[in-house]
Amino acid sequence: MTEQDHLLLEEFKKKVSSLMEKYEVLKSEKLKLEDEKQTLLSQIKFLEKEKVELGEKYKNLKFAKLLHAGYDDNQHVKQKINKLLREIDKSIALLNR
């Protein structure tokens, strides 16, 4: 091997070493980003569940306000009550499965 071949080989080794270091850095960053992704997905699930719960609370508050205000349209109140009872029955049926 000539001197030039040795120099080329050394330069090649340096470049391969540099690439390996960059690979390790990127691999570490990927793992970190995957962990962050999982954390964010968990937060999204929690917030979606909280949104549904708050929606239910809002519906219940609207209904309570309707009843509390002494709403004159008894038929409308009866329809609301029947709707809530049907939702409760559906929920019980789902729980019994």
Side-chain angles (χ1 to χ4, degrees), residues 17-62:
S17 177
S18 174
L19 284 174
M20 293 297 289
E21 288 174 13
K22 288 178 183 179
Y23 168 77
E24 291 300 324
V25 168
L26 290 173
K27 184 178 171 184
S28 172
E29 187 176 331
K30 179 186 175 208
L31 291 174
K32 179 182 166 191
L33 290 171
E34 286 176 348
D35 287 343
E36 185 177 344
K37 175 185 167 188
Q38 288 302 320
T39 300
L40 292 172
L41 288 174
S42 296
Q43 286 178 344
I44 287 172
K45 285 182 182 180
F46 173 77
L47 291 173
E48 286 175 345
K49 182 179 176 186
E50 187 176 31
K51 176 186 165 194
V52 169
E53 290 172 358
L54 290 173
E56 289 296 319
K57 286 181 181 180
Y58 176 71
K59 282 182 11 184
N60 291 339
L61 284 173
K62 278 180 33 179

Side-chain angles (χ1 to χ4, degrees), residues 1 13 39 53-54 58 70 73 76 78 84 88:
M1 278 175 101
K13 286 180 181 180
T39 300
E53 290 172 358
L54 290 173
Y58 176 71
D73 186 6
H76 183 64
K78 286 180 184 179
L84 284 173
I88 291 170

